[in-house]
Amino acid sequence: MKIVIGVPRRSKALHRLYPMKSTGKYQLHRGDVPATERKLKKNSVQVATLDEAIKLIDEGYHPRMMNIETKGAPDIVSPDRLIIKEFPNG
């Protein structure tokens, strides 16, 4: 099992990468555009699996992540603020 945990610069709250409720897919945003343009649909991509999302994170994409405590609106988190962990199954 893999999990992706992050701490956004603004909220400082613990976030985890989950599929978006509306689509059931992981949403990631291009990191090579200004922050003000990242939320634009043309600068985002949705993927079906966590492994696909991790591959894009490794390429510089910023994932949209849920606050673990409040389950509030998701935040876009920079890859340098993430920890990716893999745990053995069983």
Side-chain angles (χ1 to χ4, degrees):
M1 174 177 79
K2 293 180 185 176
I3 63 169
V4 179
I5 301 291
V7 180
R9 292 187 206 291
R10 287 188 307 165
S11 71
K12 307 287 188 232
L14 201 57
H15 283 57
R16 181 171 174 187
L17 183 57
Y18 290 106
M20 301 305 295
K21 290 179 184 176
S22 60
T23 63
K25 295 184 177 184
Y26 298 93
Q27 186 174 3
L28 299 104
H29 300 263
R30 289 181 40 198
D32 62 343
V33 297
T36 55
E37 295 180 26
R38 278 193 199 118
K39 290 185 180 179
L40 300 176
K41 189 172 185 166
K42 69 179 183 178
N43 293 323
S44 69
V45 65
Q46 294 190 5
V47 296
T49 69
L50 185 57
D51 286 333
E52 290 173 295
I54 291 170
K55 183 177 183 231
L56 288 172
I57 291 167
D58 289 342
E59 294 174 9
Y61 277 74
H62 297 220
R64 198 168 203 45
M65 302 177 76
M66 295 295 297
N67 184 314
I68 291 173
E69 297 172 10
T70 67
K71 302 279 194 260
D75 289 318
I76 297 173
V77 182
S78 174
D80 66 339
R81 310 280 300 173
L82 301 177
I83 297 171
I84 301 171
K85 286 291 199 181
E86 186 166 1
F87 298 95
N89 291 335

Short mmCIF file of all heavy atoms in Angstrom, two decimals, residues 14-68:
data_model
loop_
_atom_site.label_atom_id
_atom_site.label_comp_id
_atom_site.label_asym_id
_atom_site.label_seq_id
_atom_site.Cartn_x
_atom_site.Cartn_y
_atom_site.Cartn_z
N LEU A 14 -2.04 18.65 7.86
CA LEU A 14 -1.69 17.41 7.19
C LEU A 14 -2.72 17.07 6.12
O LEU A 14 -3.92 17.07 6.37
CB LEU A 14 -1.60 16.29 8.22
CG LEU A 14 -0.80 15.05 7.88
CD1 LEU A 14 0.63 15.40 7.52
CD2 LEU A 14 -0.82 14.08 9.04
N HIS A 15 -2.24 16.78 4.91
CA HIS A 15 -3.10 16.42 3.79
C HIS A 15 -2.71 15.04 3.27
O HIS A 15 -1.57 14.62 3.41
CB HIS A 15 -2.95 17.43 2.65
CG HIS A 15 -3.66 18.71 2.89
ND1 HIS A 15 -3.44 19.51 3.98
CD2 HIS A 15 -4.60 19.35 2.16
CE1 HIS A 15 -4.21 20.58 3.92
NE2 HIS A 15 -4.93 20.50 2.80
N ARG A 16 -3.67 14.38 2.61
CA ARG A 16 -3.41 13.08 2.00
C ARG A 16 -4.01 13.07 0.60
O ARG A 16 -5.06 13.66 0.38
CB ARG A 16 -4.02 11.96 2.84
CG ARG A 16 -3.73 10.58 2.25
CD ARG A 16 -4.15 9.48 3.18
NE ARG A 16 -4.01 8.18 2.53
CZ ARG A 16 -4.40 7.05 3.03
NH1 ARG A 16 -4.96 7.02 4.22
NH2 ARG A 16 -4.24 5.92 2.37
N LEU A 17 -3.33 12.40 -0.30
CA LEU A 17 -3.81 12.31 -1.67
C LEU A 17 -4.88 11.24 -1.77
O LEU A 17 -4.63 10.06 -1.51
CB LEU A 17 -2.64 12.00 -2.61
CG LEU A 17 -2.99 11.95 -4.10
CD1 LEU A 17 -3.61 13.27 -4.57
CD2 LEU A 17 -1.75 11.64 -4.92
N TYR A 18 -6.09 11.67 -2.10
CA TYR A 18 -7.25 10.81 -2.32
C TYR A 18 -7.80 11.12 -3.70
O TYR A 18 -7.63 12.24 -4.20
CB TYR A 18 -8.38 11.10 -1.32
CG TYR A 18 -8.12 10.70 0.10
CD1 TYR A 18 -7.84 11.65 1.07
CD2 TYR A 18 -8.19 9.37 0.49
CE1 TYR A 18 -7.63 11.30 2.39
CE2 TYR A 18 -7.98 9.01 1.82
CZ TYR A 18 -7.71 9.98 2.76
OH TYR A 18 -7.50 9.62 4.07
N PRO A 19 -8.55 10.20 -4.30
CA PRO A 19 -9.26 10.55 -5.53
C PRO A 19 -10.29 11.65 -5.22
O PRO A 19 -10.85 11.70 -4.12
CB PRO A 19 -9.96 9.26 -5.94
CG PRO A 19 -9.24 8.17 -5.21
CD PRO A 19 -8.72 8.79 -3.95
N MET A 20 -10.54 12.50 -6.20
CA MET A 20 -11.52 13.56 -6.04
C MET A 20 -12.92 12.94 -5.94
O MET A 20 -13.25 12.00 -6.67
CB MET A 20 -11.48 14.53 -7.22
CG MET A 20 -10.10 15.19 -7.41
SD MET A 20 -9.46 16.06 -5.95
CE MET A 20 -10.64 17.36 -5.78
N LYS A 21 -13.74 13.44 -5.04
CA LYS A 21 -15.08 12.89 -4.84
C LYS A 21 -15.93 12.99 -6.10
O LYS A 21 -16.71 12.10 -6.41
CB LYS A 21 -15.78 13.63 -3.69
CG LYS A 21 -15.20 13.34 -2.34
CD LYS A 21 -15.91 14.12 -1.27
CE LYS A 21 -15.25 13.91 0.07
NZ LYS A 21 -15.87 14.72 1.12
N SER A 22 -15.77 14.06 -6.84
CA SER A 22 -16.63 14.30 -8.01
C SER A 22 -16.33 13.37 -9.19
O SER A 22 -17.22 13.06 -9.97
CB SER A 22 -16.51 15.75 -8.47
OG SER A 22 -15.17 16.04 -8.81
N THR A 23 -15.07 12.92 -9.31
CA THR A 23 -14.68 12.12 -10.48
C THR A 23 -14.16 10.73 -10.14
O THR A 23 -14.09 9.86 -11.00
CB THR A 23 -13.59 12.83 -11.28
OG1 THR A 23 -12.42 12.95 -10.46
CG2 THR A 23 -14.04 14.19 -11.77
N GLY A 24 -13.73 10.55 -8.90
CA GLY A 24 -13.12 9.28 -8.51
C GLY A 24 -11.70 9.13 -9.03
O GLY A 24 -11.13 8.05 -8.98
N LYS A 25 -11.12 10.24 -9.51
CA LYS A 25 -9.76 10.22 -10.04
C LYS A 25 -8.87 11.18 -9.26
O LYS A 25 -9.36 12.10 -8.61
CB LYS A 25 -9.76 10.60 -11.52
CG LYS A 25 -10.50 9.58 -12.38
CD LYS A 25 -10.41 9.94 -13.83
CE LYS A 25 -11.10 8.85 -14.65
NZ LYS A 25 -10.97 9.09 -16.08
N TYR A 26 -7.57 10.94 -9.35
CA TYR A 26 -6.59 11.82 -8.73
C TYR A 26 -6.38 13.02 -9.65
O TYR A 26 -6.25 12.86 -10.86
CB TYR A 26 -5.26 11.09 -8.53
CG TYR A 26 -5.38 9.90 -7.62
CD1 TYR A 26 -5.61 8.63 -8.12
CD2 TYR A 26 -5.27 10.05 -6.24
CE1 TYR A 26 -5.73 7.53 -7.29
CE2 TYR A 26 -5.38 8.95 -5.39
CZ TYR A 26 -5.62 7.70 -5.92
OH TYR A 26 -5.73 6.62 -5.09
N GLN A 27 -6.36 14.22 -9.08
CA GLN A 27 -6.19 15.43 -9.87
C GLN A 27 -4.83 16.05 -9.58
O GLN A 27 -4.45 16.22 -8.41
CB GLN A 27 -7.30 16.43 -9.56
CG GLN A 27 -7.27 17.65 -10.44
CD GLN A 27 -8.48 18.54 -10.19
OE1 GLN A 27 -9.30 18.28 -9.32
NE2 GLN A 27 -8.58 19.59 -10.95
N LEU A 28 -4.10 16.38 -10.64
CA LEU A 28 -2.77 16.98 -10.51
C LEU A 28 -2.69 18.19 -11.43
O LEU A 28 -3.34 18.26 -12.46
CB LEU A 28 -1.69 15.96 -10.87
CG LEU A 28 -1.70 14.75 -9.96
CD1 LEU A 28 -2.31 13.57 -10.66
CD2 LEU A 28 -0.33 14.43 -9.45
N HIS A 29 -1.84 19.14 -11.02
CA HIS A 29 -1.71 20.40 -11.74
C HIS A 29 -0.27 20.62 -12.15
O HIS A 29 0.65 20.28 -11.41
CB HIS A 29 -2.19 21.55 -10.85
CG HIS A 29 -3.62 21.39 -10.45
ND1 HIS A 29 -4.63 22.03 -11.13
CD2 HIS A 29 -4.22 20.64 -9.50
CE1 HIS A 29 -5.80 21.69 -10.58
NE2 HIS A 29 -5.56 20.84 -9.60
N ARG A 30 -0.10 21.21 -13.33
CA ARG A 30 1.24 21.46 -13.84
C ARG A 30 2.01 22.36 -12.89
O ARG A 30 1.49 23.36 -12.39
CB ARG A 30 1.15 22.13 -15.21
CG ARG A 30 0.68 21.19 -16.29
CD ARG A 30 0.60 21.81 -17.65
NE ARG A 30 1.72 22.69 -17.93
CZ ARG A 30 1.71 23.59 -18.90
NH1 ARG A 30 0.64 23.74 -19.66
NH2 ARG A 30 2.75 24.35 -19.11
N GLY A 31 3.26 22.01 -12.66
CA GLY A 31 4.12 22.81 -11.79
C GLY A 31 4.94 23.84 -12.54
O GLY A 31 5.58 24.68 -11.93
N ASP A 32 4.90 23.79 -13.88
CA ASP A 32 5.73 24.70 -14.67
C ASP A 32 4.99 25.96 -15.10
O ASP A 32 5.46 26.70 -15.95
CB ASP A 32 6.29 23.97 -15.90
CG ASP A 32 5.20 23.48 -16.85
OD1 ASP A 32 4.03 23.40 -16.43
OD2 ASP A 32 5.53 23.16 -18.00
N VAL A 33 3.83 26.21 -14.51
CA VAL A 33 3.09 27.44 -14.78
C VAL A 33 2.96 28.22 -13.48
O VAL A 33 3.08 27.64 -12.39
CB VAL A 33 1.68 27.13 -15.37
CG1 VAL A 33 1.79 26.43 -16.71
CG2 VAL A 33 0.85 26.30 -14.42
N PRO A 34 2.73 29.54 -13.55
CA PRO A 34 2.57 30.31 -12.31
C PRO A 34 1.44 29.77 -11.44
O PRO A 34 0.45 29.23 -11.96
CB PRO A 34 2.25 31.72 -12.82
CG PRO A 34 2.76 31.76 -14.22
CD PRO A 34 2.63 30.36 -14.74
N ALA A 35 1.57 29.93 -10.15
CA ALA A 35 0.57 29.41 -9.21
C ALA A 35 -0.83 29.92 -9.53
O ALA A 35 -1.81 29.20 -9.36
CB ALA A 35 0.96 29.78 -7.78
N THR A 36 -0.94 31.14 -10.01
CA THR A 36 -2.25 31.71 -10.32
C THR A 36 -2.93 31.00 -11.49
O THR A 36 -4.14 31.10 -11.66
CB THR A 36 -2.13 33.21 -10.66
OG1 THR A 36 -1.17 33.36 -11.71
CG2 THR A 36 -1.69 34.00 -9.44
N GLU A 37 -2.16 30.28 -12.31
CA GLU A 37 -2.71 29.58 -13.47
C GLU A 37 -2.88 28.08 -13.25
O GLU A 37 -3.47 27.39 -14.08
CB GLU A 37 -1.81 29.81 -14.69
CG GLU A 37 -1.76 31.24 -15.14
CD GLU A 37 -0.88 31.45 -16.34
OE1 GLU A 37 -0.69 30.50 -17.12
OE2 GLU A 37 -0.36 32.56 -16.50
N ARG A 38 -2.38 27.55 -12.14
CA ARG A 38 -2.44 26.10 -11.91
C ARG A 38 -3.85 25.56 -11.82
O ARG A 38 -4.11 24.43 -12.21
CB ARG A 38 -1.67 25.74 -10.63
CG ARG A 38 -0.22 25.65 -10.88
CD ARG A 38 0.55 25.00 -9.77
NE ARG A 38 1.92 25.41 -9.98
CZ ARG A 38 2.64 26.11 -9.14
NH1 ARG A 38 2.15 26.43 -7.97
NH2 ARG A 38 3.85 26.48 -9.45
N LYS A 39 -4.77 26.33 -11.28
CA LYS A 39 -6.14 25.82 -11.08
C LYS A 39 -6.95 25.78 -12.37
O LYS A 39 -8.03 25.22 -12.40
CB LYS A 39 -6.87 26.66 -10.04
CG LYS A 39 -6.33 26.44 -8.65
CD LYS A 39 -7.14 27.19 -7.63
CE LYS A 39 -6.58 26.96 -6.25
NZ LYS A 39 -7.33 27.69 -5.23
N LEU A 40 -6.44 26.38 -13.44
CA LEU A 40 -7.16 26.35 -14.71
C LEU A 40 -7.24 24.93 -15.23
O LEU A 40 -6.28 24.16 -15.15
CB LEU A 40 -6.47 27.25 -15.74
CG LEU A 40 -6.36 28.73 -15.38
CD1 LEU A 40 -5.58 29.47 -16.45
CD2 LEU A 40 -7.74 29.35 -15.20
N LYS A 41 -8.38 24.57 -15.78
CA LYS A 41 -8.61 23.20 -16.26
C LYS A 41 -7.55 22.77 -17.27
O LYS A 41 -7.11 21.62 -17.27
CB LYS A 41 -10.01 23.09 -16.86
CG LYS A 41 -10.40 21.69 -17.18
CD LYS A 41 -11.85 21.59 -17.58
CE LYS A 41 -12.19 20.12 -17.78
NZ LYS A 41 -13.61 19.91 -17.85
N LYS A 42 -7.12 23.69 -18.12
CA LYS A 42 -6.13 23.34 -19.15
C LYS A 42 -4.77 22.97 -18.55
O LYS A 42 -3.95 22.36 -19.22
CB LYS A 42 -5.97 24.48 -20.16
CG LYS A 42 -5.31 25.72 -19.58
CD LYS A 42 -5.15 26.80 -20.63
CE LYS A 42 -4.43 28.00 -20.04
NZ LYS A 42 -4.23 29.04 -21.04
N ASN A 43 -4.53 23.32 -17.29
CA ASN A 43 -3.25 23.03 -16.62
C ASN A 43 -3.35 21.90 -15.62
O ASN A 43 -2.49 21.76 -14.76
CB ASN A 43 -2.72 24.30 -15.95
CG ASN A 43 -2.34 25.35 -16.95
OD1 ASN A 43 -1.82 25.04 -18.01
ND2 ASN A 43 -2.62 26.60 -16.63
N SER A 44 -4.41 21.10 -15.74
CA SER A 44 -4.56 19.98 -14.81
C SER A 44 -4.81 18.70 -15.59
O SER A 44 -5.17 18.72 -16.77
CB SER A 44 -5.70 20.23 -13.82
OG SER A 44 -6.94 20.21 -14.47
N VAL A 45 -4.61 17.60 -14.91
CA VAL A 45 -4.83 16.28 -15.49
C VAL A 45 -5.43 15.39 -14.40
O VAL A 45 -5.19 15.61 -13.21
CB VAL A 45 -3.52 15.69 -16.05
CG1 VAL A 45 -2.51 15.42 -14.96
CG2 VAL A 45 -3.77 14.43 -16.85
N GLN A 46 -6.23 14.43 -14.81
CA GLN A 46 -6.79 13.47 -13.87
C GLN A 46 -6.35 12.07 -14.29
O GLN A 46 -6.36 11.75 -15.47
CB GLN A 46 -8.32 13.56 -13.85
CG GLN A 46 -8.78 14.88 -13.28
CD GLN A 46 -10.28 14.91 -13.03
OE1 GLN A 46 -10.97 13.91 -13.18
NE2 GLN A 46 -10.76 16.05 -12.62
N VAL A 47 -5.96 11.28 -13.30
CA VAL A 47 -5.52 9.91 -13.56
C VAL A 47 -6.27 8.96 -12.65
O VAL A 47 -6.73 9.33 -11.58
CB VAL A 47 -3.99 9.75 -13.39
CG1 VAL A 47 -3.24 10.58 -14.42
CG2 VAL A 47 -3.54 10.11 -11.99
N ALA A 48 -6.36 7.70 -13.08
CA ALA A 48 -7.19 6.72 -12.37
C ALA A 48 -6.49 6.05 -11.18
O ALA A 48 -7.16 5.62 -10.25
CB ALA A 48 -7.66 5.65 -13.35
N THR A 49 -5.16 5.96 -11.21
CA THR A 49 -4.47 5.20 -10.16
C THR A 49 -3.47 6.04 -9.39
O THR A 49 -2.94 7.04 -9.91
CB THR A 49 -3.73 3.98 -10.74
OG1 THR A 49 -2.62 4.45 -11.52
CG2 THR A 49 -4.65 3.11 -11.59
N LEU A 50 -3.19 5.61 -8.18
CA LEU A 50 -2.20 6.29 -7.36
C LEU A 50 -0.81 6.19 -7.98
O LEU A 50 -0.04 7.15 -7.94
CB LEU A 50 -2.19 5.70 -5.94
CG LEU A 50 -1.29 6.38 -4.93
CD1 LEU A 50 -1.60 7.87 -4.80
CD2 LEU A 50 -1.39 5.70 -3.58
N ASP A 51 -0.49 5.06 -8.59
CA ASP A 51 0.81 4.92 -9.24
C ASP A 51 0.99 5.93 -10.37
O ASP A 51 2.07 6.51 -10.54
CB ASP A 51 1.02 3.50 -9.76
CG ASP A 51 1.30 2.50 -8.64
OD1 ASP A 51 1.84 2.93 -7.58
OD2 ASP A 51 0.99 1.32 -8.81
N GLU A 52 -0.08 6.17 -11.16
CA GLU A 52 -0.01 7.18 -12.21
C GLU A 52 0.19 8.57 -11.60
O GLU A 52 0.96 9.38 -12.13
CB GLU A 52 -1.30 7.19 -13.04
CG GLU A 52 -1.50 5.97 -13.92
CD GLU A 52 -2.87 5.99 -14.57
OE1 GLU A 52 -3.88 5.90 -13.84
OE2 GLU A 52 -2.90 6.09 -15.81
N ALA A 53 -0.49 8.84 -10.50
CA ALA A 53 -0.36 10.14 -9.84
C ALA A 53 1.07 10.33 -9.32
O ALA A 53 1.65 11.41 -9.49
CB ALA A 53 -1.36 10.24 -8.68
N ILE A 54 1.65 9.30 -8.72
CA ILE A 54 3.01 9.40 -8.20
C ILE A 54 4.01 9.64 -9.33
O ILE A 54 4.94 10.43 -9.20
CB ILE A 54 3.38 8.15 -7.37
CG1 ILE A 54 2.56 8.15 -6.07
CG2 ILE A 54 4.87 8.09 -7.09
CD1 ILE A 54 2.65 6.86 -5.27
N LYS A 55 3.79 9.00 -10.47
CA LYS A 55 4.66 9.22 -11.62
C LYS A 55 4.62 10.69 -12.05
O LYS A 55 5.67 11.30 -12.33
CB LYS A 55 4.24 8.32 -12.78
CG LYS A 55 5.13 8.44 -13.99
CD LYS A 55 4.73 7.48 -15.09
CE LYS A 55 5.70 7.61 -16.24
NZ LYS A 55 5.12 7.79 -17.52
N LEU A 56 3.43 11.28 -12.10
CA LEU A 56 3.31 12.68 -12.47
C LEU A 56 3.93 13.60 -11.41
O LEU A 56 4.53 14.62 -11.75
CB LEU A 56 1.85 13.05 -12.71
CG LEU A 56 1.24 12.47 -13.98
CD1 LEU A 56 -0.26 12.72 -14.02
CD2 LEU A 56 1.92 13.03 -15.22
N ILE A 57 3.78 13.25 -10.14
CA ILE A 57 4.43 14.02 -9.07
C ILE A 57 5.94 14.02 -9.28
O ILE A 57 6.60 15.05 -9.15
CB ILE A 57 4.05 13.47 -7.68
CG1 ILE A 57 2.58 13.74 -7.39
CG2 ILE A 57 4.95 14.05 -6.59
CD1 ILE A 57 2.02 12.98 -6.21
N ASP A 58 6.50 12.86 -9.62
CA ASP A 58 7.93 12.76 -9.89
C ASP A 58 8.35 13.63 -11.08
O ASP A 58 9.51 14.04 -11.17
CB ASP A 58 8.33 11.30 -10.16
CG ASP A 58 8.28 10.44 -8.91
OD1 ASP A 58 8.28 11.00 -7.79
OD2 ASP A 58 8.23 9.20 -9.05
N GLU A 59 7.41 13.92 -11.98
CA GLU A 59 7.68 14.77 -13.14
C GLU A 59 7.43 16.25 -12.85
O GLU A 59 7.55 17.08 -13.74
CB GLU A 59 6.82 14.32 -14.32
CG GLU A 59 7.18 12.94 -14.84
CD GLU A 59 6.23 12.44 -15.91
OE1 GLU A 59 5.38 13.22 -16.39
OE2 GLU A 59 6.35 11.24 -16.27
N GLY A 60 7.04 16.58 -11.60
CA GLY A 60 6.86 17.98 -11.22
C GLY A 60 5.43 18.46 -11.09
O GLY A 60 5.19 19.63 -10.82
N TYR A 61 4.46 17.56 -11.28
CA TYR A 61 3.07 17.96 -11.10
C TYR A 61 2.75 18.14 -9.62
O TYR A 61 3.36 17.50 -8.76
CB TYR A 61 2.13 16.91 -11.70
CG TYR A 61 1.92 17.07 -13.19
CD1 TYR A 61 2.91 16.71 -14.09
CD2 TYR A 61 0.72 17.57 -13.69
CE1 TYR A 61 2.72 16.85 -15.45
CE2 TYR A 61 0.53 17.71 -15.05
CZ TYR A 61 1.52 17.36 -15.92
OH TYR A 61 1.33 17.51 -17.27
N HIS A 62 1.78 19.01 -9.33
CA HIS A 62 1.35 19.29 -7.96
C HIS A 62 -0.01 18.63 -7.73
O HIS A 62 -0.98 18.96 -8.42
CB HIS A 62 1.21 20.80 -7.76
CG HIS A 62 2.49 21.54 -7.92
ND1 HIS A 62 2.84 22.59 -7.10
CD2 HIS A 62 3.52 21.41 -8.79
CE1 HIS A 62 4.01 23.07 -7.46
NE2 HIS A 62 4.44 22.36 -8.49
N PRO A 63 -0.11 17.72 -6.77
CA PRO A 63 -1.40 17.05 -6.53
C PRO A 63 -2.38 17.92 -5.76
O PRO A 63 -2.00 18.77 -4.97
CB PRO A 63 -1.01 15.82 -5.71
CG PRO A 63 0.22 16.26 -4.98
CD PRO A 63 0.94 17.19 -5.91
N ARG A 64 -3.66 17.68 -6.00
CA ARG A 64 -4.73 18.31 -5.23
C ARG A 64 -5.07 17.33 -4.13
O ARG A 64 -5.44 16.19 -4.38
CB ARG A 64 -5.94 18.53 -6.14
CG ARG A 64 -6.94 19.52 -5.62
CD ARG A 64 -7.88 19.82 -6.78
NE ARG A 64 -8.63 21.02 -6.86
CZ ARG A 64 -8.27 22.26 -6.64
NH1 ARG A 64 -7.09 22.53 -6.20
NH2 ARG A 64 -9.10 23.26 -6.80
N MET A 65 -4.91 17.78 -2.87
CA MET A 65 -4.98 16.87 -1.71
C MET A 65 -6.02 17.33 -0.70
O MET A 65 -6.25 18.53 -0.53
CB MET A 65 -3.60 16.80 -1.06
CG MET A 65 -2.52 16.34 -2.02
SD MET A 65 -0.88 16.32 -1.27
CE MET A 65 -0.99 14.86 -0.27
N MET A 66 -6.58 16.35 0.02
CA MET A 66 -7.59 16.63 1.05
C MET A 66 -6.95 16.79 2.43
O MET A 66 -6.05 16.03 2.79
CB MET A 66 -8.59 15.47 1.13
CG MET A 66 -9.43 15.27 -0.11
SD MET A 66 -10.53 16.64 -0.48
CE MET A 66 -11.58 16.62 0.95
N ASN A 67 -7.46 17.75 3.18
CA ASN A 67 -7.07 17.94 4.57
C ASN A 67 -7.58 16.73 5.36
O ASN A 67 -8.77 16.43 5.33
CB ASN A 67 -7.67 19.24 5.10
CG ASN A 67 -7.25 19.57 6.50
OD1 ASN A 67 -7.25 18.71 7.38
ND2 ASN A 67 -6.90 20.81 6.73
N ILE A 68 -6.69 16.03 6.04
CA ILE A 68 -7.05 14.82 6.77
C ILE A 68 -8.00 15.11 7.93
O ILE A 68 -8.91 14.35 8.21
CB ILE A 68 -5.79 14.09 7.28
CG1 ILE A 68 -5.02 13.51 6.09
CG2 ILE A 68 -6.15 12.98 8.25
CD1 ILE A 68 -3.69 12.91 6.45
#
